[in-house]
Amino acid sequence: MSAYLFRNRLAGLLPRRGHASDSAPIRSKSRPVFEESTSCTSSGRVHGKIEALCASLRLAGVVVWVPLSVGFEALLLPIPGVLRIRWTRVIWGVLCKLLDLDIKMIGRPVGTVGGQKGRDRGERPVIYVANHSSWLDIPVLGTKIYSVFVAKGDIERWPIMGLVSKIGRTIFVSRNRSTTGRERDEMITRLATGDNLILFPEGTSSDGSRVLPFMSTFFAIAKLPRLPKNAPPVDMPSYPPGLTPLIQPISLVYDRLEGLPVNRTKRAVFAWYGDMDLGPHVWQFLKKRNKRATILMHPPLAPEDFPSRKALANAAWAAVAQGAAALRQNNDTVQGWSPEPLVEPSPATASEACDQKSISVVA
């Protein structure tokens, strides 16, 4: 009996040929799992090295392009006309190509290239107002629109963007109230003599998932205050008759990353806000490929059609906010889209509009 049991146990330990229930040893089962894990780790390392190499090449291209292009633009500054305005747009366009950032535009700007001759022909200046979520907003809008930017004074000290912005005749503003009058006068003069401006009326950058309320002070240069009849004259520039600036709202959303729609978790690749360090953010952005920004140009608003700066600011905000919401839904059929009736921002949202990047442009 014992011999019979011994033979059965021995047979159970040996493999049986041709039996359907036979299975491989445990060790052979675990081996493919180990090999697959090793392969994934190796593939991830290779992918990371490729990303770093591509980022390095893009950064090298930017470092070479910016000094050369800005140096040429510096030679154009003394030349009258609009050549320098056109060349600034070329600088931003090539920079976006080096960053591997495509731009889709829906609608068109109402402003022309500008210049003093354009004002002499009766072309009204245009103030473009856009939502603001990143340092990328400047090259993206600068590629498609003939204009100069109104930017916070900190940008003037940035290594690359500051140099391009300065040569591109950007108007830098500060948080100091004592300088707001001078900055306001400079903007009015630039508009009256041939420039169009781009403003970010939120006063700060956001995370890209919403549009913060617009500060009405940004619209003071479009709708100058009415002085009482007996008030003493104010020494400030003004617009020639019929040449008060138009306001054109712009919705700007970064909606494609590596060929796929951008969701909430991916917006941090583009958005730069709060306490985020600029250097690491730029490096992470450079490592990504196939990126796209979409610009939606809204119908222009005439300041004289609104009773106050606040009403004008709220109308512009409503257009920009609703347009950005449509673009965030990855809706490519917004051509001809028009905003819903005005919905003013709530006080709770307005209280979040000021942070450490907030600026005040005009009093």
Side-chain angles (χ1 to χ4, degrees), residues 70 72-81 84 88 166-169:
V70 170
F72 181 72
E73 183 167 3
L75 299 176
L76 299 177
L77 290 179
I79 301 176
R84 61 180 181 272
T88 302
K166 188 182 301 183
I167 298 297
R169 302 180 304 119

Side-chain angles (χ1 to χ4, degrees), residues 31 44 49 71 81 107 109 121 127 137 140 199 218 306 313 327 332 363:
R31 187 174 302 162
K49 290 181 180 179
R121 292 191 299 266
I127 300 174
D137 300 344
V140 167
L199 296 175
F218 283 81
F306 296 87
L327 294 177
D332 287 336

